[in-house]
Amino acid sequence: MTEIFARKEEQAELRRVYNSGKAEFVVVYGRRRVGKTFLIREFFRDDLTFYHTALSPTDLEPQRLNDQQIQNFCSSLIRYGMDLPNRPQNWFEAFDLLIQFLEQEPKDKRMVVFLDELPWLDIPRSGFLSAFEHFWNGWGAGQKKLMLIVCGSAASWVADKLLNNHGGLYGRTTHEIHLAPFTLQETEQYLLSQNVVYDRYDILQAYMIFGGIPYYLSYLESDKSLAQCVDKLFFHANGRLRFEMQKMYSSVFLDADKYLRLVRFLSTRREGYTRLQIAQNTEFTSGGGLTTMLNVLEQSDFIDSYVNYQHSSREVYYCLTDMFSLFVMRFVEGAPKQSNFWQENLLSPSLNAWRGFAFEQVCFIHRQQIKRALGIAGVRAEICPWRSKNPDNKAQIDMLIVRADRIVNICEMKFSINTFTIDKQYDEQLREKVQTFQTETRCKYGLHLTMITTFGITENAYAYHVQQSLTMDDLFTEAL
């Protein structure tokens, strides 16, 4: 097994399962391009007994899809040294061949079998899932030396067919690993490993664009500035990532256009929408179909859901949190072919407005790091936004940390190229916001005004109204 610089918890889990001494069925899932394949392939580099990755359906002939997948499976068996007497006609025969191959392995050796992009193999009327169930239930579950690992980016398939299966695979998986995007700390480490040296201000902006997705970060070049790389990747006519979003959604969702329409609507308001609001403003009805789509998007790490503080638990908001999708929809889709767009507009109002919103998203993603920086890592707390229920009052708070020790951190997030200055006008806005919150919620807890900025706040007469001040450096610490 090979050590990888990031994914410490996931590596520890894989190592523990590898050494369990019993049959294991591990599901690794997460957003496309998040590094699932890299983690398993690199971690078990010298210990993989058999590795197979499915072919992308978008690259195959629809009428021959299943035959081509089976042929590719046979090619993997041959690549690992098996002499195939006959080509299998269906998936039952294909898995029988895999069993024959594995039974030739030494009895004292741990067998690590990695099947990548499993959802792509489950073609309608292919019989794949029945054959796969038979392989595990009829043979694999009884093999103490077998560690079966499967991956998939199609979260709905993974959830329905594996994690929540009510058929032959019900309760069969032994471990589930959700691979989330990199944190800021992991992003910094990854870039250093690629000899890309940015200061934290630029790493933060890279995170706002690429969202901690290693595949996208790998395209940053050490001899170019971040702005130059962004132009080359997105705004040049043949930029590598210019059309990535459409391809990504198409590879994950069967009804990609429907999911893209929903995501585009969610991107129009930073606080998101309730299910009812979505139904009222789109062609989607407020039924099971919409619920399923929202659940799938959330499981795939594209959106998040929340309830405002002291609002009804039925008033759930759904907001787009995938940084990459937000960036592409805001600046890339429909953009004119202007190869130096990002470099020429770095100080424009539209980019500054985006940075402010994106910074808030980054803070929510790193809320556990914020708790640690505040010295309350071990204190139970509810973290959520708040919005006034008064229709005539638009007061809202970006982030509340409602703590079990009877303190509420009222957090304001501000992105700035320098230290952020609280002037008289903003001080009045803050005090009015705090007063409105206290009046409406009748909160009896202590209220601590907390600023989270890039470089801190300027010391002046108004700065002393802030109880605690954090900087972007606090977001680069390790999660709890």
Side-chain angles (χ1 to χ4, degrees), residues 382-421:
E382 176 187 0
I383 304 178
C384 59
W386 172 82
R387 185 177 293 106
S388 172
K389 295 180 180 180
N390 184 346
D392 298 324
N393 192 327
K394 296 184 179 181
Q396 63 182 60
I397 294 172
D398 301 333
M399 179 192 292
L400 288 178
I401 304 177
V402 185
R403 297 155 42 177
D405 59 357
R406 299 181 61 81
I407 296 291
V408 177
N409 289 94
I410 296 178
C411 301
E412 286 284 305
M413 286 84 88
K414 293 295 180 183
F415 185 94
S416 175
I417 195 170
N418 296 305
T419 56
F420 180 77
T421 300

Side-chain angles (χ1 to χ4, degrees), residues 33-214:
R33 308 294 200 190
V34 80
K36 302 180 296 297
T37 300
F38 178 84
L39 172 66
I40 302 303
R41 194 176 58 206
E42 293 301 309
F43 186 76
F44 292 107
R45 174 180 289 276
D46 301 319
D47 299 285
L48 283 175
T49 308
F50 178 72
Y51 167 45
H52 173 72
T53 185
L55 298 170
S56 171
T58 58
D59 301 327
L60 304 180
E61 304 171 36
Q63 64 273 19
R64 296 188 57 238
L65 199 54
N66 191 53
D67 287 342
Q68 290 172 308
Q69 293 286 16
I70 292 176
Q71 181 61 47
N72 185 47
F73 189 82
C74 293
S75 298
S76 294
L77 286 168
I78 293 171
R79 190 163 54 252
Y80 275 85
M82 187 174 191
D83 183 16
L84 294 184
N86 297 297
R87 181 187 177 280
Q89 299 302 305
N90 54 56
W91 280 110
F92 281 94
E93 293 180 6
F95 276 108
D96 281 343
L97 288 174
L98 177 59
I99 292 172
Q100 292 176 34
F101 171 76
L102 295 175
E103 285 182 336
Q104 297 173 2
E105 292 295 306
K107 300 300 182 183
D108 60 344
K109 179 185 176 184
R110 185 58 149 166
M111 296 182 296
V112 181
V113 175
F114 178 28
L115 303 180
D116 196 11
E117 293 297 356
L118 203 67
W120 287 349
L121 300 176
D122 188 26
I123 300 157
R125 297 181 297 279
S126 67
F128 169 78
L129 194 59
S130 296
F132 179 68
E133 290 175 356
H134 182 69
F135 164 73
W136 177 255
N137 294 334
W139 185 82
Q143 306 300 312
K144 293 183 178 180
K145 294 297 181 181
L146 177 62
M147 181 178 180
L148 173 64
I149 307 171
V150 300
C151 277
S153 301
S156 58
W157 191 97
V158 172
D160 294 340
K161 308 296 186 181
L162 298 180
L163 306 185
N164 304 318
N165 187 285
H166 295 291
L169 289 175
Y170 176 75
R172 298 300 187 181
T173 61
T174 59
H175 295 272
E176 300 156 10
I177 298 177
H178 173 226
L179 207 62
F182 279 166
T183 63
L184 277 168
Q185 183 188 68
E186 290 171 329
T187 299
E188 183 177 46
Q189 293 171 351
Y190 176 78
L191 292 177
L192 284 174
S193 74
Q194 303 299 303
N195 296 316
V196 177
V197 182
Y198 292 158
D199 63 13
R200 286 185 167 179
Y201 181 77
D202 274 347
I203 295 173
L204 176 59
Q205 291 188 87
Y207 197 91
M208 294 174 181
I209 297 169
F210 302 106
I213 304 301

Side-chain angles (χ1 to χ4, degrees), residues 251-275:
S251 68
V252 175
F253 305 112
L254 290 176
D255 300 321
D257 288 341
K258 287 176 59 178
Y259 280 91
L260 276 168
R261 288 199 300 273
L262 178 54
V263 165
R264 286 194 178 96
F265 176 71
L266 293 177
S267 72
T268 60
R269 195 163 72 177
R270 66 179 185 177
E271 63 266 30
Y273 298 89
T274 64
R275 184 185 287 102

Side-chain angles (χ1 to χ4, degrees), residues 319-385:
C319 60
L320 179 60
T321 53
D322 179 57
M323 310 299 291
F324 184 81
S325 296
L326 283 164
F327 176 80
V328 171
M329 290 179 180
R330 182 76 171 266
F331 295 108
V332 181
E333 287 190 332
K337 293 180 180 179
Q338 184 180 349
S339 58
N340 293 322
F341 171 83
W342 203 250
Q343 296 174 75
E344 293 174 358
N345 290 275
L346 281 175
L347 302 179
S348 68
S350 61
L351 265 63
N352 287 331
W354 163 77
R355 290 187 184 99
F357 167 56
F359 184 60
E360 290 179 16
Q361 295 286 8
V362 173
C363 288
F364 259 98
I365 292 170
H366 292 79
R367 47 192 178 270
Q368 298 305 322
Q369 285 86 346
I370 290 172
K371 279 188 67 181
R372 167 171 284 184
L374 292 172
I376 55 171
V379 178
R380 184 173 57 84
E382 176 187 0
I383 304 178
C384 59

